[in-house]
């Protein structure tokens, strides 16, 4: 079965950096597109970034230029390097796999809080 386990969240000051990690098992990792989403407090979950099997990346306008999504196909890891963090980046962050039939798989998420 598909399983995604996020880690790396925490409390960081504005302007700081964090790297989130997601361990993915139960699917052919290197062949699939993976993504990061986040749910800010009191808001709906929103898309953050996507990386394809060919390492093509895409980002929401809110994070473009500050966040970098990457993957390690050997260790089946998905990453999100976040820099120049802002208070509005505060959210619960989730990694995502969307199956070909549009069924979404999510991890439990990891909390990122940006505050001084």
């Amino acid at each position: 079965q598909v399983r995604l386990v996020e880690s790396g969240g925490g409390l960081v000051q504005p302007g700081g950096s964090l790297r989130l990690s997601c361990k993915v098992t139960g699917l052919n990792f290197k062949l699939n597109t993976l993504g990061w989403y986040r749910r800010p407090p009191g808001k709906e979950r929103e898309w953050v970034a996507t990386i394809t099997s060919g390492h093509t990346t895409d980002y929401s306008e809110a994070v473009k230029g500050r966040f970098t999504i990457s993957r390690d196909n050997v260790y089946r890891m998905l990453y999100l390097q976040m820099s120049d963090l802002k208070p509005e980046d505060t959210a619960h962050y989730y990694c995502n796999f969307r199956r070909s039939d549009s069924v979404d798989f999510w991890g439990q998420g990891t909390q990122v809080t940006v505050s001084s």
Side-chain angles (χ1 to χ4, degrees):
Q1 72 201 49
V2 178
R3 187 165 185 238
L4 305 97
V5 180
E6 302 93 336
S7 61
L11 174 64
V12 62
Q13 293 188 341
S17 299
L18 275 177
R19 188 177 82 154
L20 306 183
S21 301
C22 178
K23 177 69 174 180
V24 183
T25 56
L27 55 88
N28 197 330
F29 183 88
K30 64 182 179 181
L31 295 183
N32 285 285
T33 293
L34 298 166
W36 285 98
Y37 286 70
R38 66 186 183 185
R39 187 192 300 273
K43 297 184 178 180
E44 297 293 315
R45 184 153 45 193
E46 61 187 31
W47 170 69
V48 174
T50 301
I51 185 166
T52 69
S53 59
H55 295 252
T56 298
T57 59
D58 197 11
Y59 299 92
S60 69
E61 287 299 319
V63 308
K64 194 173 293 184
R66 300 186 298 120
F67 290 12
T68 302
I69 188 172
S70 63
R71 61 193 295 161
D72 184 327
N73 288 343
V74 173
Y75 292 102
R76 307 171 66 86
M77 296 293 295
L78 179 69
Y79 300 104
L80 186 68
Q81 178 67 47
M82 306 185 294
S83 302
D84 190 22
L85 283 160
K86 306 176 186 297
E88 51 264 41
D89 295 316
T90 294
H92 210 70
Y93 284 73
Y94 302 87
C95 60
N96 167 266
F97 162 61
R98 179 166 293 170
R99 205 167 57 187
S100 58
D101 59 357
S102 297
V103 172
D104 281 309
F105 294 85
W106 305 96
Q108 82 290 345
T110 186
Q111 178 67 32
V112 173
T113 302
V114 184
S115 175
S116 55

